[in-house]
C-alpha cells in the first residue's frame, strides 16, 4: 500500500501590508522577511511609500521579499490616491504590478455612486485584462449594515460571482460580513479563483479581518481544498492587528496566521509507488 506523503501546493503565502496598519509599508516588509512569508501584497493607500514604485523595489530587494500582488487604491480613504479617475488608478496599479514583478492586481467593484465607472466596469476589466499578463482579480464585497438597515454600496453587485470576470479574489472576512456560504461562493468562482485574502470573521456587520481560526469561516477547509486542487494563485494574510498592544503582539498574530495557513495547505495524499 502506498504511504501518504506531504505535498505542498504551488500557492505562495503573502503578507498584505494592510495587516500591519497603523505601522508602515516598510514595517510589513521587515515582518514578512523575519517570519518567512513568501512575499507581500502592497495595499496602495495613504502611506507615500505604498505609492512609490522605486521605494517599493528597494524594500523588496533589501529584504529579499518579492512583491506578489498590488491592491489598487479603491477604498473610501484612497479616493484621491493615484488620481480621482478610477480607470487611471487601475492603469497605474497594472503598471506597478508589471514593473515590480507582481502577478495580480486586486480590485473592488465600484461604489454605486461611481455610476459611469460601474456601468463600464465589467467590460473595462476584460479590456484591461486582455492588455497584460497581470491578473485583474475582482474581490467579493458585502452589503453595508447599520442596525436593521442594509445599504447596497457596490455595483454591479457586492457578490462578484453574479458577473463575468476572468479572475476573482475571495476574501473570507467579506464572506463573513455578507453572511455568505463561503465554499458555495468558491464553487461558483470555479477555476476563475485566482487570489485569496485569508482572514476570519463571525458575521458581524463590521469587516473584522480576524486571524484565521478565530472566527467561524471555513478557513482550514478552503486551504485544504486549494491544496487538493493544485491552486497556483497566492494566499494573502489580510488581518486586522490594530488592537495589538505592542509590536511583539502584532508579530505573534502574523506568525500564528502564517503557521495556520502553511499547516492547512500541506495535504496528505497517496502517491502510487511511494
Amino acid at each position: 500500500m502506498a504511504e501518504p506523503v506531504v505535498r505542498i501546493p504551488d500557492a505562495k503565502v503573502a503578507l498584505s501590508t494592510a495587516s500591519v496598519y497603523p505601522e508602515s509599508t516598510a514595517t510589513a516588509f521587515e515582518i514578512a522577511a523575519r517570519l518567512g512569508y513568501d512575499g507581500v501584497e502592497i495595499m496602495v493607500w495613504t502611506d507615500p511609500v505604498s505609492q512609490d514604485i522605486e521605494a517599493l523595489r528597494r524594500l523588496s530587494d533589501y529584504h529579499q521579499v518579492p512583491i506578489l500582488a498590488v491592491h489598487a487604491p479603491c477604498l473610501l480613504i484612497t479616493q484621491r490616491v493615484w488620481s480621482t479617475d478610477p480607470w487611471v488608478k487601475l492603469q497605474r496599479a497594472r503598471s506597478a504590478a508589471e514593473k515590480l514583478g507582481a502577478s495580480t492586481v486586486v480590485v473592488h467593484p465600484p461604489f454605486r455612486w461611481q455610476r459611469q465607472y460601474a456601468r463600464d466596469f465589467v467590460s473595462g476589466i476584460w479590456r484591461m485584462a486582455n492588455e497584460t499578463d497581470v491578473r485583474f482579480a475582482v474581490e467579493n464585497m458585502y452589503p453595508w449594515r447599520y442596525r436593521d438597515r442594509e445599504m447596497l454600496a457596490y455595483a454591479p453587485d457586492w457578490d462578484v460571482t453574479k458577473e463575468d470576470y476572468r479572475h476573482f479574489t475571495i476574501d473570507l472576512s467579506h464572506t463573513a460580513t455578507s453572511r455568505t456560504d463561503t465554499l458555495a461562493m468558491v464553487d461558483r468562482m470555479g477555476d476563475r479563483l485566482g487570489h485569496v485574502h485569508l482572514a476570519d470573521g463571525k458575521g458581524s456587520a463590521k469587516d473584522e479581518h480576524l486571524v484565521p481560526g478565530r472566527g467561524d469561516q471555513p478557513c482550514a477547509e478552503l486551504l485544504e481544498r486549494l491544496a487538493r486542487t493544485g491552486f497556483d494563485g497566492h494566499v494573502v494574510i489580510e488581518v486586522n492587528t490594530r488592537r495589538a498592544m505592542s509590536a511583539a503582539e502584532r508579530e505573534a498574530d502574523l506568525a500564528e496566521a502564517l503557521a495556520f495557513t502553511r499547516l492547512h495547505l500541506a495535504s496528505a495524499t497517496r502517491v502510487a509507488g511511494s
Side-chain angles (χ1 to χ4, degrees):
M1 180 180 292
E3 293 295 323
V5 299
V6 172
R7 174 172 59 86
I8 306 297
D10 293 334
K12 289 182 168 61
V13 183
L15 178 65
S16 169
T17 59
S19 294
V20 306
Y21 181 84
E23 297 293 338
S24 67
T25 300
T27 300
F29 277 90
E30 295 171 12
I31 293 175
R34 192 156 50 241
L35 296 180
Y37 278 83
D38 297 318
V40 298
E41 173 177 301
I42 302 299
M43 172 65 80
V44 180
W45 65 299
T46 54
D47 180 351
V49 171
S50 73
Q51 306 170 31
D52 186 328
I53 306 303
E54 290 308 313
L56 293 170
R57 183 181 285 119
R58 288 193 297 271
L59 283 167
S60 178
D61 290 345
Y62 178 79
H63 292 286
Q64 293 296 288
V65 174
I67 296 169
L68 302 180
V70 174
H71 195 308
C74 41
L75 307 177
L76 279 174
I77 65 168
T78 59
Q79 291 298 289
R80 296 187 177 276
V81 173
W82 279 0
S83 170
T84 56
D85 183 332
W87 291 114
V88 172
K89 291 173 182 284
L90 294 191
Q91 290 162 2
R92 292 190 65 172
R94 178 189 66 193
S95 177
E98 291 170 343
K99 291 175 180 176
L100 294 167
S103 64
T104 303
V105 167
V106 178
V107 57
H108 293 180
F111 294 113
R112 295 189 76 85
W113 56 84
Q114 295 174 301
R115 292 191 178 124
Q116 187 59 50
Y117 179 46
R119 190 174 302 120
D120 299 334
F121 184 69
V122 178
S123 60
I125 289 291
W126 271 101
R127 183 181 65 253
M128 294 190 73
N130 287 332
E131 297 170 350
T132 180
D133 291 332
V134 173
R135 292 177 173 181
F136 280 88
V138 186
E139 184 173 2
N140 63 300
M141 298 305 292
Y142 47 85
W144 291 2
R145 295 190 182 92
Y146 178 70
R147 294 182 180 172
D148 59 347
R149 295 184 180 182
E150 184 173 288
M151 173 183 172
L152 300 179
Y154 299 96
D157 203 281
W158 60 264
D159 181 352
V160 293
T161 64
K162 293 183 178 180
E163 302 297 331
D164 180 26
Y165 300 112
R166 181 175 292 175
H167 291 109
F168 294 109
T169 296
I170 186 83
D171 184 304
L172 275 73
S173 179
H174 295 176
T175 55
T177 304
S178 63
R179 299 164 190 168
T180 298
D181 182 325
T182 302
L183 297 180
M185 177 172 275
V186 169
D187 286 339
R188 295 197 298 276
M189 291 178 173
D191 60 7
R192 292 180 292 168
L193 175 61
H195 201 69
V196 175
H197 279 171
L198 192 68
D200 216 331
K202 298 180 179 178
S204 164
K206 296 180 180 179
D207 185 15
E208 297 170 287
H209 284 275
L210 304 177
V211 170
R214 297 184 185 177
D216 57 18
Q217 288 301 288
C219 298
E221 293 90 334
L222 174 61
L223 292 169
E224 290 160 9
R225 178 186 293 199
L226 297 178
R228 289 195 305 271
T229 58
F231 178 72
D232 65 352
H234 304 316
V235 177
V236 178
I237 303 301
E238 191 183 72
V239 296
N240 183 348
T241 63
R242 280 176 286 186
R243 293 188 177 180
M245 300 301 292
S246 65
E249 184 178 334
R250 172 174 292 108
E251 195 160 321
D253 283 347
L254 298 178
E256 179 184 330
L258 178 60
F260 179 100
T261 304
R262 289 239 168 95
L263 172 66
H264 292 287
L265 276 177
S267 64
T269 183
R270 295 189 181 276
V271 178
S274 64

